[in-house]
Amino acid sequence: MQSSSKSPADAAARAANADAPASGAARSDDSRASASDGKRAAGAAGSASSAGASGTASAMSAMAQTKDLELVIRHVLAGLGHGLHAGRERGAGVEFSEYRAYAPGDEWRRVDWKLLARADRYFVREAERDSHVATWLWLDATASMAEPSREINGIDKLWFARTALACVAAIAQRQGDAFGLVVCSGGKVEFTQASRGPRQLQRVLAQLAKVKPEGQLPTAEVLKANLHFARSPSLIFAASDFLDWPSPLSEALLRLRNLRHDVRLLTLRTQAEVDATFKSGSGYRDPEQNDGLHRMSNADRESYKQQSRAHFDAVATSCRQNNIVQYEARIEQPLHAVLRSWLQLAGARAR
């Protein structure tokens, strides 16, 4: 069951609408010149770094303002060059792999007649072909996902999660895979059944675009009763802040992993959550629990950071123990870089 006991620090992390937050020794002329040059170089480097961060923030903010999800996908995926899975299996494909001895039931058209003339034995040509793996996109759209960035206007956890999963859907469509959508919001779970092709991509993007963050996760019983959506082994890409672990969501994902599905998690945090840079003295209300107003003082920050790090370390440990790919990111990071790292991490395990 979802935990209902939250500390003030937890409430701050889940708040959806909180306010954004020379020595006296003489030196030679050469030394002063050298120091001056060093300061200018450091200042130039700092300016370049600041300009780069500012450019990323501006681009992210601009993407968040557009309602054209397809346009954002094209921008993010430009030059990404990653698929979702290796996608190769033996069969009657087009890319030659090897010969094997003929067996009753093999198609005669796969017999290599020239090799028969040389070896006086029947051999069939084995080839590799693309395998179509069903991909499921799982979006946590509960109230805590409305948590905004205090550094980039227009960005919140839900926008980042929604856009990352939309990019995964576009990659699946390019690979010819079937893909579907699972949305947890307001105590309910909604499905867009898996299918292939451009029209399916439009259906999934339309569903993602209209999702709003609200309420809590469905109960463990509701999720357990609906896990039949992934019948054969599938890829499960889930995006959430995972502020509750264990939770109905984590239990469902672990169950899917035990059913031999390939589960890959994207854990999203804000930079303010990581650094505890919430505005001192402001009130915070947990959007998913009716447990009153909490305030974070300067004295609470170090305790909050320790508790927060311990929580997410526990999430990472649980994922490793269950062979689940888990990537933690901040929503202020460039989306294309997060997506690339997430897919690379999953690909490294597959190899």
Side-chain angles (χ1 to χ4, degrees), residues 311-332:
H311 170 78
F312 287 103
D313 285 347
V315 173
T317 298
S318 178
C319 289
R320 284 195 301 272
Q321 291 173 343
N322 291 277
N323 197 25
I324 289 176
V325 168
Q326 187 253 0
Y327 184 74
E328 183 179 314
R330 301 181 306 279
I331 64 173
E332 291 82 6

Side-chain angles (χ1 to χ4, degrees), residues 2-154:
Q2 191 170 353
S3 172
S4 60
S5 61
K6 300 292 173 189
S7 69
D10 293 325
R14 300 175 64 122
N17 298 303
D19 294 335
S23 72
R27 291 180 295 178
S28 68
D29 291 342
D30 289 343
S31 297
R32 287 195 294 270
S34 177
S36 177
D37 290 344
K39 289 180 180 179
R40 284 197 296 270
S47 298
S49 176
S50 176
S54 176
T56 296
S58 298
M60 293 276 284
S61 182
M63 285 194 293
Q65 301 306 317
T66 181
K67 297 185 181 300
D68 189 344
L69 200 48
E70 285 191 86
L71 181 63
V72 175
I73 290 171
R74 287 198 295 271
H75 176 78
V76 174
L77 294 187
L80 186 66
H82 281 278
L84 304 182
H85 58 88
R88 311 298 291 174
E89 64 182 16
R90 295 286 175 80
V94 295
E95 185 176 334
F96 175 73
S97 175
E98 63 183 4
Y99 290 106
R100 66 167 175 80
Y102 172 83
D106 286 334
E107 297 174 334
W108 285 106
R109 64 186 178 87
R110 293 174 57 197
V111 172
D112 190 306
W113 300 104
K114 292 182 179 180
L115 186 58
L116 170 65
R118 297 197 305 270
D120 198 28
R121 289 182 60 191
Y122 290 103
F123 288 92
V124 296
R125 296 171 60 89
E126 282 282 272
E128 289 187 336
R129 62 182 178 188
D130 289 333
S131 63
H132 296 298
V133 177
T135 298
W136 285 93
L137 317 171
W138 193 312
L139 176 64
D140 175 359
T142 53
S144 69
M145 293 295 284
E147 178 71 17
S149 168
R150 287 159 177 76
E151 299 180 10
I152 303 178
N153 291 333

Side-chain angles (χ1 to χ4, degrees), residues 19 27 129 136 138 163 166 202 204 212 264 280 291 297 303 335-336 347 350:
D19 294 335
R27 291 180 295 178
R129 62 182 178 188
W136 285 93
W138 193 312
T163 310
Q202 295 303 316
V204 167
K212 297 185 182 302
R264 308 176 181 186
S280 181
D291 57 354
S297 67
S303 175
L335 182 54
H336 70 277

Side-chain angles (χ1 to χ4, degrees), residues 251-266:
E251 291 172 9
L253 293 170
L254 291 174
R255 185 177 293 273
L256 286 169
R257 182 65 192 123
N258 290 334
L259 293 172
R260 304 187 66 78
H261 297 288
D262 186 348
V263 180
R264 308 176 181 186
L265 309 185
L266 179 62

